[in-house]
């Protein structure tokens, strides 16, 4: 039985432990990404979302949102940028993208979109949400000049994360 | 390929289409006027000017140099100085997020959308 299917059936405390486990696993990956050197400033692939996407079908929307909040808060606390603009950008982008990704993983749409499509959609939504929040936070006059780089980066990062998620999910096979 | 579904292909195609469409519609030769926009003001300079401009951003004063159509951030109070490291920019917009200052190009047009031959300050 795949671990993903096992998680779906867990209830009560075990389910809470699962949420915390995957949230901190995602946080760990996000923390590693934070300390890696970045050739393009502020540019991250978003590998931490691979965990969220892999377990997306095993948790409901509230549980996924809780995971996002735990992930972003944990990383922000460790790197001391809690309650700063990068924290607000990350958490709002994560929340909105998880909502959209979960919508596209509803059973009728699962036949149409795989994890790759969902990842690309989530990437677009996250980046554009962060751009809009930046406009509000920094009182920017216009963000239209950010549109082109955002679109290109969203497509690239969403594809990379989606492909990694598909590959990892295919290879996670264990019985508990 | 069994892991890729029709919706994924549609999303990728739509994304590429959106990118290409955006590039096509914004690829007009907008080079006449350099616009420097701050949270409180908007400044227009001819791209043929050679001058250094000091504007007020959120974090403090920013110095921007205009030289023969290219723009360069000379000094900024932001932490990472990415705008300064970007160097000379020609026909390319740039934004300094922490300071809230953006630089971009526009064509000189009348209200009817016709090109203006010259611009007098």
């Amino acid at each position: 039985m795949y671990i993903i299917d096992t998680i779906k059936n867990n209830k009560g405390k075990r389910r809470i432990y699962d949420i915390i486990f995957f949230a901190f696993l995602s946080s760990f990956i996000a923390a590693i990404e934070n300390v890696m050197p970045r050739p393009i400033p502020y540019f991250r692939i978003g590998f931490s979302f691979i965990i969220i996407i892999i377990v997306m079908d095993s948790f409901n929307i509230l549980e996924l949102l809780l995971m996002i909040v735990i992930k972003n808060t944990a990383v922000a606390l460790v790197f001391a940028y809690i309650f700063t603009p990068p924290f607000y950008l990350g958490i709002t982008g994560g929340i909105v993208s998880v909502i959209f990704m979960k919508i596209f993983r509803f059973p009728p749409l699962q036949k149409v979109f795989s994890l790759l499509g969902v990842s690309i959609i989530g990437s677009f939504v996250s980046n554009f949400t962060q751009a809009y929040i930046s406009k509000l936070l920094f009182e920017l006059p216009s963000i239209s000049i950010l549109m082109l780089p955002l679109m290109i980066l969203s497509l690239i990062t969403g594809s990379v994360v989606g492909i990694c998620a598909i590959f990892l999910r295919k290879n996670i096979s264990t019985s508990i | 390929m069994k892991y890729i579904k029709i919706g994924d292909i549609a999303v990728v195609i739509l994304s590429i289409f959106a990118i290409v469409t955006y590039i096509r519609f914004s690829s007009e030769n907008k080079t006449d006027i350099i616009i420097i926009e701050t949270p409180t003001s908007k400044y227009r300079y001819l791209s043929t000017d050679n001058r250094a401009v000091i504007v007020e951003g959120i974090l403090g004063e920013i110095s921007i140099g205009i030289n023969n159509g290219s723009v360069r951030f000379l000094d900024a109070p932001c932490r990472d100085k990415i705008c300064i490291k970007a160097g000379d920019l020609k026909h390319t917009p740039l934004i300094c997020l922490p300071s809230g200052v953006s630089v971009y190009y526009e064509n000189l047009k009348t209200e009817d959308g016709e090109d203006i031959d010259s611009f007098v300050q």
Side-chain angles (χ1 to χ4, degrees):
Chain A
M1 186 185 243
Y2 287 101
I3 189 170
I4 306 299
D5 297 320
T6 308
I7 294 166
K8 256 189 221 175
N9 301 324
N10 289 344
K11 293 193 190 321
K13 275 188 188 169
R14 182 59 202 257
R15 198 159 182 85
I16 295 171
Y17 297 153
D18 289 338
I19 293 169
I20 293 171
F21 171 73
F22 286 109
F24 278 101
L25 185 57
S26 186
S27 311
F28 177 70
I29 297 172
I32 302 262
E33 252 194 312
N34 259 350
V35 298
M36 297 289 272
R38 294 174 214 175
I40 303 173
Y42 299 114
F43 171 69
R44 287 190 304 177
I45 302 279
F47 285 121
S48 56
F49 271 90
I50 292 174
I51 304 297
I52 306 291
I53 289 170
I54 287 173
V55 300
M56 183 151 288
D57 297 333
S58 306
F59 295 102
N60 62 39
I61 183 68
L62 290 175
E63 289 162 345
L64 289 168
L65 290 176
L66 180 61
M67 245 187 262
I68 288 290
V69 169
I70 293 172
K71 172 183 89 88
N72 280 282
T73 307
V75 177
L77 279 170
V78 167
F79 289 93
Y81 64 85
I82 190 99
F83 302 131
T84 62
F87 170 71
Y88 296 127
L89 292 179
I91 205 166
T92 48
I95 287 170
V96 177
S97 72
V98 159
I99 292 170
F100 271 78
M101 287 195 287
K102 190 62 181 171
I103 288 171
F104 280 89
R105 285 304 284 177
F106 279 155
L109 291 174
Q110 274 188 18
K111 297 172 192 166
V112 181
F113 296 97
S114 75
L115 297 183
L116 172 63
V118 164
S119 174
I120 294 173
I121 290 166
S123 178
F124 267 92
V125 170
S126 173
N127 286 334
F128 282 96
T129 304
Q130 291 187 57
Y132 182 71
I133 299 294
S134 296
K135 180 177 162 63
L136 298 177
L137 278 177
F138 299 115
E139 296 173 340
L140 297 175
S142 169
I143 54 168
S144 58
I145 54 176
L146 294 175
M147 291 295 112
L148 183 60
L150 275 183
M151 284 194 279
I152 294 171
L153 288 174
S154 299
L155 182 58
I156 295 170
T157 58
S159 303
V160 169
V161 169
I163 290 168
C164 290
I166 289 173
F167 177 77
L168 282 170
R169 187 169 173 165
K170 178 172 83 86
N171 287 284
I172 292 172
S173 58
T174 186
S175 56
I176 299 175
Chain B
M1 283 303 286
K2 64 176 180 177
Y3 298 105
I4 309 296
K5 297 181 181 169
I6 186 79
D8 307 335
I9 298 169
V11 166
V12 172
I13 290 173
L14 269 171
S15 309
I16 294 171
F17 178 74
I19 291 168
V20 169
T21 306
Y22 188 89
I23 291 172
R24 276 199 76 182
F25 279 107
S26 63
S27 66
E28 296 166 4
N29 196 16
K30 294 179 180 171
T31 59
D32 300 321
I33 302 291
I34 293 171
I35 313 277
I36 299 173
E37 201 161 349
T38 71
T40 52
S41 310
K42 200 170 182 175
Y43 304 91
R44 286 183 167 81
Y45 300 95
L46 284 175
S47 58
T48 49
D49 279 353
N50 291 317
R51 62 166 77 195
V53 178
I54 296 178
V55 297
E56 190 72 31
I58 296 172
L59 298 176
E61 287 185 346
I62 291 182
S63 178
I64 298 171
I66 300 172
N67 184 19
N68 287 329
S70 66
V71 178
R72 183 188 186 96
F73 275 72
L74 300 171
D75 190 28
C78 52
R79 184 187 68 178
D80 297 312
K81 315 277 184 205
I82 295 166
C83 46
I84 297 172
K85 291 174 190 169
D88 282 321
L89 304 160
K90 204 152 188 162
H91 316 153
T92 307
L94 181 66
I95 191 165
C96 178
L97 268 178
S99 298
V101 173
S102 56
V103 178
Y104 53 96
Y105 291 78
E106 264 187 11
N107 269 340
L108 208 48
K109 287 190 182 294
T110 64
E111 285 179 5
D112 300 326
E114 295 180 5
D115 290 333
I116 294 177
D117 296 326
S118 63
F119 181 77
V120 177
Q121 283 180 292

